[in-house]
Amino acid sequence: MANFIFGVFLILVLSYLSNRVTGKATVKEIHADVDGKLKQLNKPAVKTIQSDDGDIIDCVDIYRQPAFDHPALRNHVIQMKPNFNFKEMEFNSKNGSSKLTVFQTWQKSGSCPKGTVPIRRIRREDLLRAQSVQQFGRKPQDVVLKSNTTIGRFPSINSNALALPAIVNRSAAILATVGANYTGAKADINVWNPNVESEDFTTAQVWLKAGPNDNFESIESGWTVNPQLYGDKKTRLFAHWTVRIIWLMYTLMISHYPTYLQKDSYKTTGCFDLQCSGFIQTSSKIALGAAISPISMELGQQYYITIGIYMDEITNNWWLIFGNGITIGYWPASTLNVLKNSATMVEWGGQVYSPNVRKSPHTKTAMGSGKFASSLKGNACYMENIAIVDFSTQLQYPPAVTTLAEENYCYTALNHQDGSESSPTFYFGGPGQNYNCP
């Protein structure tokens, strides 16, 4: 009888959540959800900054940021800086190029005081653009792994080839290394502002992953153009994560035996920036989700951001480092599972999320600069000074890498080294729809 009552209760709860997600909720329910979510996300501000680009930046007490809504972080003591020396993490590459670093637009309008963190304010219209309030800030829910389909096999350092299944609604062009225990990765990422259609988004980023191919755990960062999430087509700094979870469930009204359901690969957890609890920000200078500028120009000045993600081997927290040693914050070890000790795969490159990839007519959303990789510097988007950290604690170019472009007529990938470079430069991108990608 107890199982029957629990089963009925769970069905009612799932039905309620399904109505919210599928759009069957009433207008009154939707507005109630929006109001509740805004209250949850927008914490009380010590100071508010109105940016020239229209963003509102709230300076929030560091202990009142969204991360502390997470059950595992209720009594968490913030680690204010990592237990490693940035000078020791420098990668001495001789890849010289005339590129300049960028700044965040809001920084021209003010700064946040010590003891606070800058958080981009979420507005009502941001939530109303989302597929549902529950889905806000997450990658599209209908992005699932195709069964019995692979996009390629990566050679692994331990000689075991890794087959990657294809992902619906995503097209990527990446450089990857697989098979070691990675405790960090970095790259200088060329910054552009590619064309993006309203339902799509594009990124240029670094990923660190662990876990099975169809249920991986990931922490990642770079730049994105994402009009559905941010409400415009500006190039913005972002961070994202997804955590593999194991649910213990009982088969309702049928059996007392437990069933273990393993997730994630973006299915149920994680989000962009600080739009859910999970990432702890420590910097008062950088706002995740805020616009960055200037932008690179074709055959002109090239701009870049440096992204580094490193594990603190004392606390096992993963730190996000921006530019020349600015610690943005960290993903706490207490919220991670398979990434708690190391990553087993690192990827660099770009991706396009769209309902119109892998089909015709193809999306016109571009990746990188919108030019193919073969057009090289000044035209194509690139990453240089690519490096990993393993348990030797030394930054180094990965000993084994592979390039992959899932739709080679739409977006391409090229790892190229000329005589003046001490390590290869990775080029990636493309226009999406074109003569050969109809």
Side-chain angles (χ1 to χ4, degrees):
M1 184 63 179
N3 277 352
F4 176 79
I5 295 172
F6 176 72
V8 171
F9 171 75
L10 186 55
I11 289 170
L12 290 173
V13 170
L14 292 176
S15 176
Y16 170 82
L17 293 176
S18 176
N19 286 342
R20 293 294 208 262
V21 172
T22 58
K24 296 178 182 178
T26 66
V27 173
K28 185 176 180 180
E29 288 172 335
I30 292 172
H31 281 289
D33 284 351
V34 168
D35 290 340
K37 191 71 170 179
L38 287 173
K39 185 176 180 180
Q40 176 190 354
L41 291 173
N42 293 326
K43 304 300 184 183
V46 173
K47 177 182 177 181
T48 295
I49 299 170
Q50 178 69 59
S51 176
D52 290 344
D53 61 5
D55 280 355
I56 297 174
I57 303 298
D58 289 325
C59 304
V60 176
D61 184 288
I62 193 170
Y63 274 100
R64 301 193 71 178
Q65 61 181 292
F68 293 101
D69 292 335
H70 196 294
L73 300 175
R74 295 288 167 81
N75 297 312
H76 183 84
V77 177
I78 295 177
Q79 181 183 353
M80 293 307 298
K81 61 181 181 179
N83 293 296
F84 50 76
N85 189 326
F86 292 120
K87 291 183 179 180
E88 295 176 357
M89 305 301 286
E90 290 177 359
F91 183 47
N92 295 319
S93 171
K94 296 180 181 179
N95 287 1
S97 60
S98 56
K99 59 186 188 306
L100 299 173
T101 56
V102 303
F103 61 88
Q104 291 196 297
T105 308
W106 72 272
Q107 294 169 338
K108 295 186 295 183
S109 303
S111 60
C112 284
K114 186 177 180 180
T116 69
V117 293
I119 301 178
R120 179 181 176 272
R121 184 182 296 181
I122 307 303
R123 307 185 199 199
R124 180 174 293 272
E125 53 266 33
D126 295 330
L127 295 179
L128 293 175
R129 278 194 309 273
Q131 187 180 49
S132 71
V133 173
Q134 289 72 27
Q135 187 67 16
F136 175 74
R138 292 173 53 193
K139 293 189 176 179
Q141 197 170 39
D142 57 354
V143 176
V144 296
L145 298 171
K146 290 181 178 177
S147 59
N148 303 319
T149 306
T150 61
I151 57 174
R153 298 180 68 85
F154 287 158
S156 172
I157 290 174
N158 59 20
S159 300
N160 296 318
L162 175 66
L164 293 183
I167 302 178
V168 177
N169 291 3
R170 187 190 90 143
S171 186
I174 60 172
L175 177 77
T177 184
V178 184
N181 291 312
Y182 307 104
T183 58
K186 76 170 285 287
D188 296 342
I189 308 175
N190 191 205
V191 177
W192 292 84
N193 183 245
N195 173 67
V196 175
E197 297 189 334
S198 59
E199 293 184 356
D200 303 350
F201 71 86
T202 187
T203 74
Q205 64 174 96
V206 179
W207 295 259
L208 286 98
K209 297 180 176 179
N213 300 334
D214 58 347
N215 282 304
F216 62 80
E217 194 162 294
S218 175
I219 50 179
E220 41 197 90
S221 184
W223 62 256
T224 184
V225 179
N226 190 336
Q228 185 77 7
L229 179 61
Y230 299 111
D232 58 36
K233 296 186 178 182
K234 297 182 178 71
T235 302
R236 295 174 178 271
L237 174 70
F238 82 94
H240 191 279
W241 60 272
T242 184
V243 175
R244 186 176 174 224
I245 59 174
I246 300 176
W247 291 350
L248 173 61
M249 298 187 67
Y250 288 87
T251 307
L252 299 176
M253 298 172 286
I254 299 176
S255 170
H256 293 284
Y257 294 103
T259 300
Y260 292 90
L261 301 179
Q262 298 185 6
K263 304 236 179 219
D264 206 68
S265 300
Y266 311 127
K267 297 183 187 76
T268 59
T269 67
C271 64
F272 286 93
D273 310 330
L274 302 181
Q275 294 167 6
C276 64
S277 54
F279 181 85
I280 296 178
Q281 181 154 340
T282 58
S283 173
S284 62
K285 299 178 180 179
I286 301 294
L288 292 173
I292 54 178
S293 61
I295 303 298
S296 299
M297 301 293 293
E298 186 175 347
L299 298 177
Q301 181 64 61
Q302 300 300 294
Y303 294 91
Y304 76 106
I305 57 173
T306 298
I307 295 293
I309 302 175
Y310 307 108
M311 190 184 76
D312 184 323
E313 295 185 16
I314 295 177
T315 63
N316 284 36
N317 297 330
W318 285 90
W319 284 85
L320 175 57
I321 312 298
F322 178 80
N324 187 24
I326 299 175
T327 55
I328 297 179
Y330 59 92
W331 291 274
S334 59
T335 63
L336 302 172
N337 290 303
V338 287
L339 270 173
K340 188 169 291 187
N341 297 309
S342 67
T344 54
M345 183 175 189
V346 183
E347 298 174 5
W348 299 262
Q351 61 180 352
V352 168
Y353 270 95
S354 172
N356 297 310
V357 295
R358 306 180 189 277
K359 63 175 66 172
S360 182
H362 195 279
T363 180
K364 295 179 181 178
T365 292
M367 180 193 301
S369 68
K371 298 296 180 65
F372 288 117
S374 57
S375 59
L376 301 181
K377 283 184 181 175
N379 293 288
C381 187
Y382 62 88
M383 296 191 190
E384 61 183 13
N385 296 326
I386 288 170
I388 54 96
V389 183
D390 56 22
F391 286 124
S392 71
T393 69
Q394 297 297 313
L395 270 173
Q396 58 187 298
Y397 190 81
V401 294
T402 299
T403 60
L404 173 70
E406 295 178 358
E407 295 182 289
N408 205 42
Y409 293 107
C410 312
Y411 313 105
T412 59
L414 174 66
N415 208 29
H416 175 78
Q417 183 174 6
D418 63 33
S420 65
E421 296 179 329
S422 60
S423 62
T425 296
F426 177 60
Y427 298 89
F428 62 96
Q433 187 183 110
N434 64 82
Y435 179 79
N436 294 311
C437 177

